[in-house]
Amino acid sequence: MDLRQMRYFTVLAEELNFTRAARRLHIAQPALSQQVKALERRLGARLIERGSTGCTLTAVGEVVAQEARGVLARATAAEERIAAAVAGRHGRLNLAYTRSARGGPADALVSAFRERHPEVELRLQTGWTAHNVTLLLAGQLDAAFVRPPLDAPELTCLPLGEEELLLAVPADHPLAATRSRISRRRIATEPVILWPRENGPGMHDLIIRQLWPDHGPRIVREEPDDEQLLLAVAAGHGVAPIPEGRAHALRVPGIRLRRLTAPTPTVGLGLAYDPRVDARALQFLLSLARDR
């Protein structure tokens, strides 16, 4: 059935008076009468009985009015869903955290997005930067928090900020007793605990260039994530560089956090995405990130 005819007939069924129904619909009464007759011809049945003061619905008319209300309600809901999707209020955003950056700017941005766009389905996961980049390139993510620099020219990385890189040392280590900043020379031969380079090659190399610029670190152990890394430090196996926010968030006992002399080492946080993707929800996330 024609949606306009159904809407006209539904109003007539509620008013049971052509004059009042035409007034509600903002059309002329003859036009309403013609649309109702056209609907009756299409269905092959009489829908109303006209009287001197109004009209009544036939048995078929009662059924048509009831079904038309349902069809119109579903059509209205569908239009609203489509309009919401066009406006970015519906849809899905596949987003990944990087393990070393939970809390701080990443969580703040996600919270702001949830508040601003509550009707977008937000699917979150957590992975290392290299893993997130792989998923982005495969089209399985819309955006991901990463630690730049990235070796992926197909992607764009929107900077979100920098944080200081600290050195975690065992609580009973001689470096734990000093309150002053530690020089690179003093850690040149220290045993070092790091995570595997393949987890985030850009960040891994950046850390080494900043802390061990001459000969590289003496890596004695690799751990899969920051918590395990700090636990290994607490056990006395070596020292480890760690972003300040992550170190304070984990709060592993048995370690001391120390700062290094200038130039202050830092690591960045970025939001990576494929600029060829034009999803509305992604554009809203990028707009929020640029405004922060």
Side-chain angles (χ1 to χ4, degrees), residues 121-183:
E121 180 186 357
L122 190 57
R123 292 193 170 183
L124 295 169
Q125 57 182 282
T126 301
W128 288 104
T129 289
H131 178 69
N132 291 346
V133 167
T134 298
L135 294 183
L136 279 169
L137 293 174
Q140 297 177 35
L141 288 174
D142 298 306
F145 295 105
V146 296
R147 292 292 194 182
L150 302 183
D151 185 20
E154 306 94 326
L155 302 179
T156 297
C157 188
L158 180 64
L160 297 179
E162 300 273 336
E163 63 180 309
E164 187 171 351
L165 193 65
L166 304 183
L167 188 72
V169 302
D172 58 356
H173 193 284
L175 291 175
T178 182
R179 296 297 178 182
S180 58
R181 288 180 175 263
I182 298 170
S183 68

Side-chain angles (χ1 to χ4, degrees), residues 4-25 27 29 32-37 39-40 47-50 54-57 61 65 69 72:
R4 182 177 63 173
Q5 291 178 349
M6 283 192 287
R7 185 165 65 88
Y8 286 179
F9 182 71
T10 299
V11 172
L12 179 61
E14 293 172 353
E15 296 291 345
L16 295 177
N17 182 284
F18 274 88
T19 301
R20 292 196 299 270
R23 190 179 300 121
R24 273 184 58 184
L25 292 165
I27 62 173
Q29 184 174 326
L32 174 59
S33 180
Q34 290 172 5
Q35 290 297 324
V36 172
K37 288 179 181 178
L39 181 60
E40 287 179 323
L47 304 180
I48 59 171
E49 297 290 349
R50 292 168 175 80
C55 59
T56 58
L57 298 180
R69 290 188 191 98
L72 291 171

Side-chain angles (χ1 to χ4, degrees), residues 9 38 57 91-92 98 100 104 128 137 150 167 174 186 194 198-199 201 227 256 260 265 270 275:
F9 182 71
L57 298 180
R92 178 184 301 161
T98 182
S100 66
W128 288 104
L137 293 174
L150 302 183
L167 188 72
R186 293 188 65 183
L194 263 177
E198 57 266 25
N199 290 353
E227 186 172 11
R256 298 291 183 269
L260 290 106

